[in-house]
């Protein structure tokens, strides 16, 4: 590996994390302290003065102390199980690392011209790693031009491409590949490629770039998780659903396996359903995902979507449940519907969609007791209509819907929209919620 050795004898100075040296002090206290100040502030004139006049070594190492509160889990005599204590952690850094991590291009260029080693890793990361992690493309390009190794790994086994994990880092990634970074480089611990990272972060442009450079679309990490599976598992926030949808569409366009499973036998559909990501669920099912796949815990995608409903109300979890049922998902055993009602009471649309997928389920007094009073009051019209069915059968209209859905089977989602009937009836047949049951 192209890594410059660290000479431990070069460690000249301790710094507290919050230490600051004012410019007036710097003039009086020439030495490593002033050198460090020039680097931290990006003061090129002072930097040149320190290197040129005072002959500071451009490969000098700094030993930085970080004061951090740590939990000590040791039992104490007074019966307390632990305490918070201030611990000092030490970290080595170099002039190049400081300049690269802060985006000081002019200082970085001067240091490189004066012989600073671009592949020196004083602590856990090289200057190139830090430039990429902070999305400083100009610094990344300079370091690469001066011989920085685009495949060099951090102390914990990550390459520069793995650290391009933000939208702003796209140009860093592009530069790395231009200088022959390994697009399929694996991290040491998790065996993940840059494509895994891009998928986890919902970075469509990065993923597209890597795939054009030959990234393996179905490479598995140490847990047998593919990039597609990573993207589906990471689509948690409402605000980023479109980003993950774009990434997944791209991966599938490059022939990603929609039915790959991890060590727990969970497929991308299991994970998308667990996140109540209706658009991802639709995308995966449209491209052949197994709607009734069972993981090691005995859960189907539908079971995952139902379990997620109480915690994913902002994502309208009934949409994921509805999509799965319209693609032929096996329903919950009727005898277990009471458990569904207990867990999903605050998501009545989810309850409605699932309830309407059956021809008839007997509503009992236990159902009424399962819904907390405060939730009943918020959704009173729906629950009154549901509990009214305890004394009567479902409507003829619903029975006709059930008969049609049974006839169409797994093709409901494709056949129903083609029927020459009003769109409102399309929605009715596809279990569109109405906030009432009859």
């Amino acid at each position: 590996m192209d890594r410059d050795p660290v000479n431990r004898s070069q460690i000249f100075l301790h710094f507290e994390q919050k230490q600051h040296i004012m410019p007036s002090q710097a003039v009086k206290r020439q030495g490593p302290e002033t050198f460090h100040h020039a680097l931290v502030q990006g003061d090129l004139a002072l930097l040149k003065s320190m290197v040129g006049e005072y002959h500071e070594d451009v490969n000098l190492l700094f030993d930085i102390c970080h004061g951090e509160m740590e939990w000590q889990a040791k039992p104490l005599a007074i019966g307390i199980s632990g305490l918070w204590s201030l611990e000092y952690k030490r970290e080595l850094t170099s002039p190049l690392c400081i300049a690269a991590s802060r985006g000081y291009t002019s200082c970085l260029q001067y240091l490189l011209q004066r012989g600073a080693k671009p592949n020196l890793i004083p602590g856990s990361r090289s200057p190139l790693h830090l430039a990429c992690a902070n999305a400083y493309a100009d610094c990344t390009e300079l370091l690469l031009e001066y011989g920085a190794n685009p495949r060099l790994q951090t102390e914990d086994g990550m390459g520069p491409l793995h650290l391009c994990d933000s939208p702003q880092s796209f140009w860093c990634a592009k530069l790395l590949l231009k200088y022959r970074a390994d697009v399929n480089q694996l991290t040491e611990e998790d065996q993940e490629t840059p494509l895994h990272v891009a998928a986890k972060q919902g970075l469509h442009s990065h993923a597209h770039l890597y795939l054009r450079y030959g990234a393996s679309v179905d490479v598995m990490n140490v847990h047998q998780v593919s990039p597609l599976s990573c993207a589906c598992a990471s689509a948690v926030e409402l605000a980023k659903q479109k980003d993950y949808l774009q990434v997944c569409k791209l991966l599938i366009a490059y022939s990603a396996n929609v039915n790959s499973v991890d060590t727990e036998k969970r497929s991308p559909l299991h994970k998308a359903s667990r996140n109540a990501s209706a658009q991802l669920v639709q995308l995966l099912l449209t491209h052949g995902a197994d709607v009734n796949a069972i993981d090691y815990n005995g859960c189907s995608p539908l079971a995952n979507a139902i379990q997620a409903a109480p915690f994913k109300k902002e994502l309208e979890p009934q949409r994921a449940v509805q999509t799965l049922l319209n693609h032929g998902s096996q329903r919950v055993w009727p005898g277990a519907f009471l458990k569904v009602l207990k867990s999903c009471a605050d998501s009545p649309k989810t309850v409605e969609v699932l309830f309407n997928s059956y021809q008839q389920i007997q509503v009992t007094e236990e159902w009424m007791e399962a819904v907390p009073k405060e939730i009943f009051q918020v959704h009173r019209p729906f629950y009154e209509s549901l509990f009214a069915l305890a004394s009567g059968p479902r409507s003829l209209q619903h029975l006709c819907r059930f008969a049609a859905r049974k006839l169409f089977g797994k093709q409901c989602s494709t056949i129903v929209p083609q029927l020459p009937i009003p769109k409102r009836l399309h929605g009715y047949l596809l279990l569109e919620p109405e906030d009432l049951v009859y």
Side-chain angles (χ1 to χ4, degrees):
M1 186 176 292
D2 185 10
R3 181 190 299 233
D4 290 323
V6 175
N7 182 357
R8 299 287 169 177
S9 65
Q10 288 181 297
I11 304 172
F12 283 92
L13 196 62
H14 254 335
F15 286 105
E16 294 292 341
Q17 188 180 29
K18 295 183 179 180
Q19 180 176 353
H20 296 284
I21 305 173
M22 299 304 293
S24 58
Q25 294 175 301
V27 174
K28 297 177 182 178
R29 297 177 57 196
Q30 302 294 350
E33 296 99 330
T34 309
F35 188 28
H36 181 264
H37 168 76
L39 292 163
V40 169
Q41 297 299 320
D43 189 333
L44 181 58
L46 182 56
L47 178 62
K48 287 181 176 180
S49 171
M50 293 304 300
V51 175
E53 296 179 29
Y54 295 91
H55 308 291
E56 292 291 357
D57 183 1
V58 292
N59 291 306
L60 173 69
L61 301 186
F62 298 99
D63 192 359
I64 310 297
C65 283
H66 298 270
E68 297 180 6
M69 294 297 287
E70 282 196 338
W71 177 252
Q72 302 295 319
K74 298 176 182 177
L76 303 178
I78 57 175
I80 301 175
S81 62
L83 68 136
W84 286 99
S85 65
L86 184 63
E87 295 288 331
Y88 283 93
K89 293 189 174 182
R90 301 172 68 175
E91 178 185 348
L92 299 182
T93 189
S94 68
L96 273 189
C97 285
I98 294 172
S101 67
R102 294 170 182 257
Y104 297 148
T105 310
S106 299
C107 292
L108 189 71
Q109 184 171 22
Y110 177 74
L111 291 166
L112 289 165
Q113 290 171 343
R114 300 290 295 195
K117 298 176 181 179
N119 291 315
L120 182 69
I121 300 185
S124 60
R125 296 182 176 186
S126 73
L128 183 60
H129 293 131
L130 293 166
C132 292
N134 290 287
Y136 293 127
D138 290 343
C139 292
T140 298
E141 186 170 23
L142 258 178
L143 289 162
L144 290 167
E145 287 176 353
Y146 276 83
N149 183 358
R151 303 185 182 201
L152 191 62
Q153 290 183 308
T154 63
E155 190 178 61
D156 52 358
M158 298 177 71
L161 272 180
H162 293 109
L163 299 173
C164 295
D165 58 1
S166 67
Q168 296 78 16
S169 67
F170 174 77
W171 290 106
C172 294
K174 197 166 186 178
L175 286 164
L176 289 168
L177 291 171
K178 176 183 174 182
Y179 280 82
R180 300 192 177 183
D182 182 2
V183 74
N184 287 308
Q185 185 175 17
L186 299 175
T187 58
E188 285 185 0
E189 186 174 347
D190 293 325
Q191 297 289 287
E192 291 191 338
T193 66
L195 189 58
H196 280 100
V197 175
K200 281 183 179 181
Q201 300 300 325
L203 301 176
H204 172 265
S205 296
H206 287 65
H208 196 195
L209 176 68
Y210 299 154
L211 289 165
R212 287 194 289 111
Y213 271 82
S216 177
V217 73
D218 277 328
V219 63
M220 300 291 187
N221 68 12
V222 71
H223 301 294
Q224 294 300 297
V225 178
S226 69
L228 179 62
S229 193
C230 278
C232 291
S234 301
V236 177
E237 299 176 17
L238 176 61
K240 294 197 69 177
Q241 291 297 306
K242 289 183 179 178
D243 295 332
Y244 287 106
L245 182 63
Q246 275 191 302
V247 170
C248 290
K249 283 181 177 180
L250 176 65
L251 293 170
I252 291 173
Y254 275 79
S255 303
N257 181 4
V258 296
N259 287 310
S260 64
V261 293
D262 61 19
T263 52
E264 297 295 324
K265 294 297 181 184
R266 291 172 298 193
S267 68
L269 185 59
H270 278 103
K271 297 173 184 181
S273 300
R274 186 68 176 175
N275 284 327
S277 301
Q279 289 181 304
L280 285 182
V281 168
Q282 178 67 52
L283 175 70
L284 293 166
L285 290 170
T286 300
H287 288 87
D290 183 356
V291 71
N292 289 311
I294 301 297
D295 65 16
Y296 270 152
N297 293 319
C299 288
S300 67
L302 180 62
N304 281 344
I306 293 171
Q307 290 169 8
F311 316 104
K312 298 283 185 178
K313 288 186 287 185
E314 73 282 1
L315 287 169
E316 299 185 316
Q318 75 276 3
R319 297 296 177 194
V321 172
Q322 183 182 0
T323 302
L324 290 163
L325 289 168
N326 287 332
H327 281 80
S329 175
Q330 294 180 2
R331 294 161 296 173
V332 177
W333 177 57
F337 200 90
L338 178 61
K339 291 182 179 179
V340 173
L341 186 60
K342 286 180 178 179
S343 65
C344 298
D346 202 23
S347 180
K349 289 182 187 293
T350 300
V351 175
E352 179 186 350
V353 168
L354 190 60
F355 184 72
N356 281 336
S357 68
Y358 299 88
Q359 181 176 14
Q360 179 84 32
I361 299 182
Q362 181 60 47
V363 179
T364 68
E365 289 187 7
E366 286 184 292
W367 288 32
M368 303 176 195
E369 296 170 0
V371 180
K373 290 182 179 179
E374 60 275 14
I375 293 177
F376 177 85
Q377 291 300 327
V378 173
H379 307 289
R380 188 182 188 99
F382 169 74
Y383 281 114
E384 284 184 342
S385 71
L386 177 65
F387 297 151
L389 292 174
S391 57
R394 296 301 302 267
S395 67
L396 179 60
Q397 183 176 322
H398 167 72
L399 296 177
C400 290
R401 169 170 60 185
F402 179 82
R405 288 180 58 81
K406 185 177 181 180
L407 178 65
F408 300 147
K410 292 183 178 181
Q411 303 302 314
C412 271
S413 61
T414 54
I415 293 177
V416 170
Q418 299 177 33
L419 295 176
I421 55 177
K423 287 188 176 181
R424 185 180 177 188
L425 284 180
H426 287 163
Y428 183 76
L429 288 172
L430 293 173
L431 304 177
E432 191 67 25
E434 299 178 75
D435 298 320
L436 292 170
V437 290
Y438 39 87

